[in-house]
Amino acid sequence: MKQLIFIALLLATISSQAQIKFEGVVQDSLNTPLELANVIAINQQSKALESYGITDENGRFKLQLAKNGTFEIQISYVGMQTFKEIITVGESDMDREFTLRAENMLDEVELVYKMPVTVNGDTIVYNADSFQNGTERKLEDVLEKLPGVEINEDGQIEVEGKVVNKLMVNGKDFFDGDTKLATKNIPSKAVDKIQVLRNYSEVGQLRSVTNNQDNVAMNIKLKEGKENFWFGNVTAGTGSSPEKALYLVQPKLFYYSPKYSLNFIGDFNNTGEVALTRRDIRNFGGGFRSPSRSSGTSLNLGDNSLSFLTNQANALEIENKLGTANFSYSPNAALDLSGFFIYNSSRILSRETSFIQYTDPELGIPDEATEQTSNERSNQGLLKLSASYQPNLNNQMDYDILARISNDGQNQNVFSSVIGNTRQLDEVTPYSINQNLNYYYTLDENNIFALEAQHLLRNEDPFYNAVLVNDPAGPDAFDTTAEALGLDTSLNAYDLGQNRKIKSNQLDAKLDYYHILNTKSNLNLTLGTILSRQEFNSDIFQFLEDGSTFEPTPTFNDGLAVNDTEYNFSDIYLGVHYRVKTGIFTITPGFSAHAYGNKNIQFGETVTDNFFRFLPDFETRLQLKKSEALTLRYEMRNQFTDVTRLARGLVLNNFNSIQFGEPDLQNALSHNVSLFYSSFNLFNYTNVFARAAYSSNIDQIRSLTNFESVIRTSTFFNSSFADENFNFFGRIQRTFGKVRATLNASFNYSKINQFIQGQQSLNEGFTQTYTPGLRTNFKIAPNISLRYRYSVTNNNQGGGETTFITNAPSIDFDAYIWKKVTLRSDYTYTNQDLGNGNSQSFQTWNATLSYRKDRDAKWEYEIRATNILDIDSQVRNSANNLSVFSSETFIQPRFVTFRLVYTL
C-alpha cells in the first residue's frame, strides 16, 4: 500500500515539476476586479485544453502550463467580450493583467472552448467530457471525478457537504428525483453537462422569502442527438460458481423529448448485484416532505415492518428482481404529469455466528454464543402519480399520491449456547397510501399565500412465531420466562405466536402567509395542524400439540397478554418568523405556539394530556463570499412517541425480548444547535465544508430493562436524566494538477442514561474516523484512487470500557488501453484491533476486464470477477450500552461472469 501511495505522489511531483504557474488579474475598464470569470489555456500544438481556472473575489486566477509551450488564453465573463491572446511561456512563472470590454450585442456571437467548470450565480456547470478518460460507464463514474462532488457510503450525491435531494434529466424529474437510481443506471456517454443548482426552490414564488441554502438539486443535460431517440444499454451475462449457475439481465432504456420522457430500468440476477436495497425502497419517499417539518413538533408513528437480519451486501445467496418505469408528460406549458412504478423482489440466504459478552458482571447476564441461518423473501411495490398545474406566475397547484405495498417473510434457525435450538418465523404484508396537495398563490408583489396538506393512511400486520425445544421433566433456560408468560410447560416444545395490527391515519397541514416588507425583509405567519389516530391490537398465544391454540395469562403485568389501544394526537400551532438581510447576514428569528392534545384509550380506561408549549427557533447565515458561507441554527423540538410504547399489554419483539408500554408517557423536549460552513474555491481548487451538531434531550423516553438469563423484559418511562449527542463531520479537498487530495474527518460523542436490573448507569460513546485519499485524473494514463480509513471507537459502559481500532486501506484502479480495453479493479483490506491484544481482518478484491472496438461501438464484451480471493466470511465487532458484540458473516464465494452489453 505504501508503494502505491508513493507512486501517486511521484506522479503528482513529476507533473508539477514540468509546469509553470501562469497567474494574473481580470478586471473591467474601470479597473474593478471581475469575480467568477472563466480563464482557459488551449495548447496550440495539440489543440487540447491545457488548464482552466476561475477568478476569485479579487479577480485573480492561476493556471498550470507546460514549460516552453505556446497557448491561446481565452477569458470570458457574462456581459463582457471574450478576450483571446496567444502567449508563449518559457521556464519561469508569469503574472499578467487582463482588461475585458463591455459586450456589443450587435457583434457576432463567437463560440469559445468548453470550460470544464463554470459558475453562474447559484449554478455550477460541469462539462462531463472534460472529466472522462474512457473507463466510465455510469453517471456515478463521472460524478466521482468532479471537484466538490462526492458519492457517500449510502450512495447519495453530496455537493459541498450537502446531500442532493432532487435529480433531473433535461429538466424532468428522474424517478421523482432519486439520486441512487440515476447514478447507477444513466450511461455516462449520454451526459453532456452536469448542472448543480444551489439554493434550489421547487416553488419559484417562494424563492425570495424562504431560506433554501440547504437545498441542492442536480440537472443532467443530455448530449445532442439523445432527444427524440431511445438510448441506454442492455446487459446479459452468465457465469459459474462452486454451487450454481449464474445469470444476469439488466435492460436500461431512456427516451426524452421536449414534451415527454420514458425510463425503464430492470435488473434480474443471482450474482448479488443489488440496484436498490430493501432499505432504499423502504426509504423511497417519493419526494414527500411533511408540512410540519419546521414546526417544532416531531411525532413518531413507529415502524412495524420486518427488520431483516441480513445486510444484502453480506449474504451467502442473493436472487434479485427489479422492474421500474418512470414517465413525465407536458401536454401544454401549464400542466406537467409524471409518475413512476417500482417492483422489487429478493430472496436471500444468510449464515452468521456471533458472541455477546455482557460488560457488567453484577447484572448476572450470561454470555451467549449463537449460530443462525436465515431464509428471507421480500416483495415490494410502489406507485406514484403527480400533477403540477401553473397557469401563470401567480398560481401553482401540485398533487401527488404514493401507494406502497409489500409482502415480506423471514425464516430463522438459531442455536444459542444458553437457550438451545429455536425456529422463528416473521411475516408482514403492510400497505400505505400517502397524498399531498400544495397550492401557492401570489396576490401581489408584497403578499404570498402557500397551502400544504398531506394525508397518510397506513396498515401494518406483523406475525411472529417461535418454536423452542422444551424438556417437560427438567429445567430449561426458557422455563422461567414461559411460566411468567403463563404458557403450558408440559409440552415438548414452546410454540409461541403473536398477531399485531397497527393502523395509522394522519393529516398534516399548514397555511403560510408571507408579507414582503421591503427588499431586505419579510414576515411569515403559519397556521398549522397535525391530527393523528393510531389503533393497535395484539395478542400472544401458544400452539398446542393437537393444533389448537391456548391464550395464556401472564403472572405479571396485571395478566395482560393482549392489546386493544386507540391513540389520538392533535397539535394546532401558530408560527411567526421574521427574515431580514443586512450586509453579509441573513437573520431569521421565530417561534411557534402549540396547543397539544393527547388521548389513549385501552381496557376501558382513558388517559388524556392537554397542554400548551412555546417553541423558539433561530437561524443566522453569514455570506462571507459568493462561494463561502457560515450558518448557525437553533431550534427547540417537542417529541412524541407512537402507540406501541403506550400499549399496556405484553408484546414480543422476539422470543427473548418482551415489552409492555406505559399509558402515562409524556413528550420529550430537545434543544438542537447546528453550525455549517462551506467554501467552494475554484481559484486554488480547494473545497472545504464542516458540519457540527449538538442536541440535549430532556424527559427522553427510556426503557427500564430487566434480564432473566438472556431474556429481556422492558417497559418505558420519561427519564429525568438528560441525554446528549454531539457530532462533527468535515471535508477538505484540494487539486494539484492531475491529483486530487481529500481528507474526511468525523467525530461522534453520545451520552445515554441506561436503566438495567433497577440500576441507573451512564453510557458514553466516542467514535472518531479519519479518511485521507488521493485520486488521479489523467486523460490517457491509468488512474488510481487511494483511500485509508482509520477509526477508533471508545465505549464507557457504566464502568466497563471497550476500544476498537479499525484500519482499512483501499485502492481503485482503472485504465483505458489501446482505446479498446478497459481494466477496472478495487481492493480493500480491513483490520480491526479488539483492544485486548487480538485483531481480525478480511479482504475484498473485485476486477472487470472489458473490450469494445471504440467508444462509439454498439457491442461491449466484459469479464467480471468478484471476491477474487474467495474469502468466505467477514467479521464485525461493536459495543453498545450493555454488551460487546462480535460476529462472523458468511458471504458469497468467488463469482466469474461473462457479459455482453449492447448500447442503443
Side-chain angles (χ1 to χ4, degrees):
M1 190 69 188
K2 293 180 179 178
Q3 293 176 335
L4 293 171
I5 295 175
F6 172 76
I7 292 172
L9 293 174
L10 181 63
L11 289 170
T13 302
I14 293 173
S15 175
S16 62
Q17 287 179 344
Q19 294 178 325
I20 68 162
K21 291 181 182 178
F22 180 73
E23 299 181 88
V25 175
V26 179
Q27 58 191 16
D28 61 16
S29 58
L30 299 177
N31 298 326
T32 302
L34 298 178
E35 184 180 1
L36 301 179
N38 300 319
V39 184
I40 63 176
I42 302 172
N43 191 305
Q44 291 301 93
Q45 182 177 359
S46 64
K47 298 301 180 182
L49 179 66
E50 179 76 12
S51 183
Y52 70 94
I54 295 177
T55 58
D56 63 9
E57 69 276 9
N58 298 315
R60 293 201 61 84
F61 68 89
K62 179 170 59 177
L63 306 181
Q64 297 286 340
L65 303 181
K67 294 180 178 179
N68 302 312
T70 302
F71 307 93
E72 180 181 72
I73 303 299
Q74 293 184 2
I75 305 175
S76 59
Y77 187 82
V78 177
M80 297 289 183
Q81 296 179 14
T82 298
F83 178 91
K84 293 183 180 182
E85 181 181 329
I86 303 294
I87 66 167
T88 300
V89 301
E91 298 186 1
S92 301
D93 294 343
M94 297 180 61
D95 198 309
R96 289 281 307 274
E97 185 177 285
F98 298 95
T99 301
L100 302 189
R101 305 296 176 186
E103 184 176 44
N104 185 346
M105 299 304 294
L106 297 178
D107 289 347
E108 180 182 357
V109 177
E110 185 176 12
L111 296 177
V112 298
Y113 204 94
K114 286 186 178 180
M115 274 286 292
V117 186
T118 57
V119 180
N120 185 10
D122 288 331
T123 302
I124 306 172
V125 182
Y126 298 93
N127 182 46
D129 286 342
S130 300
F131 298 92
Q132 299 191 55
N133 66 352
T135 63
E136 302 80 11
R137 294 297 182 271
K138 298 174 291 186
L139 175 61
E140 69 175 349
D141 298 331
V142 182
L143 294 177
E144 290 174 339
K145 298 180 178 181
L146 305 182
V149 180
E150 293 282 335
I151 306 292
N152 64 26
E153 293 182 355
D154 295 326
Q156 300 170 309
I157 306 171
E158 289 186 4
V159 177
E160 303 172 34
K162 301 170 186 175
V163 173
V164 174
N165 45 40
K166 175 182 280 291
L167 189 140
M168 300 168 283
V169 177
N170 276 12
K172 303 178 186 297
D173 285 358
F174 186 85
F175 284 90
D176 218 67
D178 180 70
T179 59
K180 192 170 183 180
L181 265 177
T183 59
K184 297 288 184 183
N185 295 285
I186 294 178
S188 59
K189 65 186 302 181
V191 179
D192 181 27
K193 289 182 172 57
I194 299 164
Q195 298 174 330
V196 174
L197 312 174
R198 298 178 293 181
N199 300 318
Y200 179 75
S201 175
E202 291 192 63
V203 183
Q205 295 161 274
L206 302 183
R207 181 177 178 85
S208 62
V209 294
T210 55
N211 295 331
N212 305 299
Q213 58 267 20
D214 287 338
N215 298 336
V216 180
M218 183 172 285
N219 183 42
I220 308 301
K221 294 286 292 182
L222 301 175
K223 289 184 176 178
E224 291 185 13
K226 296 302 180 183
E227 283 203 346
N228 300 312
F229 290 95
W230 284 97
F231 68 94
N233 55 60
V234 179
T235 302
T238 185
S240 63
S241 70
E243 297 183 357
K244 62 181 179 181
L246 304 175
Y247 66 86
L248 178 141
V249 179
Q250 296 175 329
K252 303 171 184 180
L253 306 174
F254 310 91
Y255 182 89
Y256 282 85
S257 72
K259 272 201 167 185
Y260 67 92
S261 67
L262 295 170
N263 303 295
F264 297 97
I265 298 173
D267 194 346
F268 313 92
N269 71 79
N270 64 348
T271 62
E273 299 176 31
V274 181
L276 286 177
T277 65
R278 295 173 303 209
R279 188 180 70 169
D280 291 334
I281 295 177
R282 186 177 300 172
N283 295 336
F284 206 101
F288 281 77
R289 297 191 300 166
S290 60
S292 62
R293 57 190 177 275
S294 59
S295 69
T297 298
S298 177
L299 174 63
N300 181 17
L301 295 182
D303 183 0
N304 299 280
S305 55
L306 191 57
S307 298
F308 287 104
L309 295 176
T310 308
N311 181 329
Q312 286 179 265
N314 302 321
L316 274 173
E317 296 181 10
I318 302 178
E319 182 178 343
N320 196 74
K321 299 176 182 178
L322 174 72
T324 68
N326 172 230
F327 81 92
S328 66
Y329 175 56
S330 302
N332 54 59
L335 180 62
D336 289 311
L337 306 174
S338 62
F340 65 78
F341 170 76
I342 298 176
Y343 171 75
N344 186 73
S345 174
S346 64
R347 301 292 183 270
I348 295 176
L349 172 65
S350 67
R351 179 188 167 208
E352 179 180 275
T353 61
S354 62
F355 180 72
I356 302 176
Q357 180 181 7
Y358 292 90
T359 54
D360 190 347
E362 295 183 3
L363 298 178
I365 310 171
D367 297 339
E368 182 181 21
T370 61
E371 180 174 354
Q372 65 182 25
T373 59
S374 175
N375 281 283
E376 304 168 8
R377 60 169 175 80
S378 177
N379 300 287
Q380 299 167 295
L382 286 83
L383 174 65
K384 183 184 179 187
L385 299 173
S386 301
S388 180
Y389 179 63
Q390 188 174 13
N392 51 58
L393 294 177
N394 295 330
N395 289 272
Q396 179 176 332
M397 179 178 289
D398 302 324
Y399 173 76
D400 310 277
I401 181 169
L402 173 68
R404 70 171 74 224
I405 188 170
S406 66
N407 186 338
D408 302 330
Q410 180 173 251
N411 284 283
Q412 305 170 53
N413 288 299
V414 181
F415 172 76
S416 164
S417 60
V418 179
I419 298 296
N421 288 305
T422 305
R423 298 197 314 272
Q424 299 180 71
L425 169 67
D426 291 272
E427 292 182 328
V428 62
T429 57
Y431 69 84
S432 67
I433 300 174
N434 203 334
Q435 298 182 79
N436 194 78
L437 176 66
N438 300 327
Y439 177 62
Y440 307 96
Y441 172 62
T442 300
L443 178 64
D444 52 43
E445 61 182 9
N446 294 324
N447 299 281
I448 303 173
F449 295 88
L451 172 67
E452 298 180 7
Q454 188 175 134
H455 178 256
L456 171 66
L457 182 67
R458 188 169 71 187
N459 186 80
E460 300 165 295
D461 60 346
F463 169 76
Y464 174 71
N465 175 235
V467 181
L468 297 87
V469 174
N470 178 45
D471 182 0
D476 293 309
F478 194 70
D479 282 349
T480 303
T481 302
E483 292 172 358
L485 289 174
L487 302 179
D488 186 342
T489 60
S490 66
L491 306 179
N492 292 319
Y494 295 115
D495 195 343
L496 286 172
Q498 176 181 250
N499 288 310
R500 285 186 291 163
K501 289 188 180 297
I502 306 96
K503 295 182 179 180
S504 302
N505 194 333
Q506 178 179 284
L507 173 66
D508 188 343
K510 69 170 182 174
L511 175 64
D512 277 301
Y513 167 65
Y514 298 92
H515 179 61
I516 301 175
L517 302 172
N518 50 56
T519 58
K520 298 291 186 179
S521 63
N522 65 268
L523 182 67
N524 171 217
L525 302 178
T526 303
L527 179 63
T529 185
I530 305 173
L531 303 175
S532 174
R533 174 189 173 97
Q534 285 191 292
E535 299 175 10
F536 176 45
N537 294 277
S538 72
D539 65 297
I540 299 173
F541 54 91
Q542 182 181 12
F543 290 102
L544 303 180
E545 293 178 345
D546 61 1
S548 62
T549 60
F550 168 67
E551 296 184 359
T553 301
T555 60
F556 69 108
N557 193 41
D558 298 328
L560 296 177
V562 300
N563 279 293
D564 184 4
T565 305
E566 178 184 315
Y567 174 43
N568 293 281
F569 171 86
S570 66
D571 173 22
I572 300 175
Y573 60 91
L574 174 67
V576 179
H577 290 84
Y578 174 69
R579 181 173 180 261
V580 60
K581 293 183 178 181
T582 172
I584 64 171
F585 293 91
T586 300
I587 305 173
T588 312
F591 67 88
S592 54
H594 297 255
Y596 292 108
N598 294 277
K599 180 173 69 173
N600 70 83
I601 306 170
Q602 44 187 318
F603 304 107
E605 298 181 3
T606 301
V607 177
T608 61
D609 184 24
N610 302 313
F611 63 97
F612 292 90
R613 180 77 73 184
F614 180 84
L615 301 176
D617 60 89
F618 179 81
E619 178 179 303
T620 297
R621 177 179 172 86
L622 286 76
Q623 193 70 48
L624 304 172
K625 300 175 184 177
K626 286 188 177 181
S627 297
E628 183 180 18
L630 180 69
T631 303
L632 171 68
R633 291 194 188 92
Y634 165 79
E635 65 172 347
M636 184 184 291
R637 295 197 68 83
N638 228 6
Q639 302 167 329
F640 297 85
T641 190
D642 69 305
V643 66
T644 60
R645 292 191 174 189
L646 301 171
R648 291 173 52 198
L650 296 181
V651 175
L652 297 177
N653 295 320
N654 206 308
F655 74 90
N656 60 1
S657 178
I658 305 168
Q659 79 170 49
F660 56 94
E662 171 53 59
D664 294 318
L665 284 179
Q666 305 296 311
N667 63 287
L669 197 65
S670 67
H671 298 279
N672 305 274
V673 182
S674 65
L675 188 66
F676 184 85
Y677 170 81
S678 65
S679 174
F680 186 71
N681 191 335
L682 287 175
F683 168 71
N684 56 10
Y685 311 109
T686 302
N687 307 304
V688 180
F689 83 86
R691 178 177 57 245
Y694 169 80
S695 64
S696 176
N697 296 290
I698 304 169
D699 292 331
Q700 181 80 1
I701 295 176
R702 285 293 170 208
S703 62
L704 287 167
T705 302
N706 289 290
F707 280 84
E708 180 68 39
S709 182
V710 295
I711 309 300
R712 176 193 307 229
T713 303
S714 301
T715 188
F716 305 97
F717 79 113
N718 287 100
S719 169
S720 59
F721 298 89
D723 296 333
E724 299 177 57
N725 183 269
F726 171 79
N727 61 74
F728 168 85
F729 182 81
R731 177 184 297 138
I732 180 169
Q733 187 180 92
R734 179 76 182 267
T735 301
F736 305 89
K738 299 297 183 181
V739 178
R740 187 175 75 187
T742 303
L743 175 63
N744 295 334
S746 66
F747 308 90
N748 182 274
Y749 169 79
S750 63
K751 184 180 77 172
I752 299 174
N753 292 274
Q754 59 187 17
F755 303 84
I756 301 173
Q757 308 292 70
Q759 301 178 22
Q760 182 268 337
S761 61
L762 184 66
N763 173 267
E764 293 182 290
F766 178 64
T767 299
Q768 50 186 318
T769 303
Y770 308 91
T771 310
L774 289 174
R775 183 188 188 97
T776 65
N777 191 20
F778 298 111
K779 293 289 288 185
I780 300 176
N783 285 291
I784 61 173
S785 175
L786 303 172
R787 287 168 58 90
Y788 187 88
R789 182 169 64 88
Y790 176 78
S791 179
V792 181
T793 300
N794 295 287
N795 276 277
N796 187 339
Q797 304 147 307
E801 187 169 345
T802 59
T803 301
F804 298 123
I805 300 176
T806 301
N807 295 271
S810 63
I811 178 173
D812 290 5
F813 173 88
D814 65 79
Y816 191 46
I817 307 169
W818 307 310
K819 296 185 179 181
K820 299 177 184 296
V821 177
T822 299
L823 173 62
R824 306 183 69 175
S825 180
D826 61 88
Y827 170 83
T828 301
Y829 172 80
T830 303
N831 176 273
Q832 191 170 60
D833 186 333
L834 306 182
N836 56 7
N838 298 320
S839 64
Q840 297 174 319
S841 63
F842 61 90
Q843 306 171 73
T844 58
W845 183 21
N846 308 301
T848 301
L849 182 67
S850 58
Y851 169 84
R852 59 183 178 185
K853 186 177 180 180
D854 52 56
R855 292 193 184 191
D856 297 323
K858 294 291 186 181
W859 289 96
E860 183 171 11
Y861 310 90
E862 180 178 286
I863 297 176
R864 181 175 298 186
T866 58
N867 191 11
I868 294 175
L869 300 177
D870 205 20
I871 304 299
D872 60 357
S873 63
Q874 294 182 350
V875 294
R876 179 169 58 92
N877 298 278
S878 62
N880 57 27
N881 58 356
L882 186 64
S883 62
V884 178
F885 175 84
S886 63
S887 68
E888 181 180 18
T889 303
F890 294 85
I891 62 175
Q892 295 182 118
R894 180 193 299 121
F895 283 174
V896 179
T897 55
F898 174 75
R899 309 175 186 210
L900 290 175
V901 183
Y902 178 75
T903 302
L904 278 71

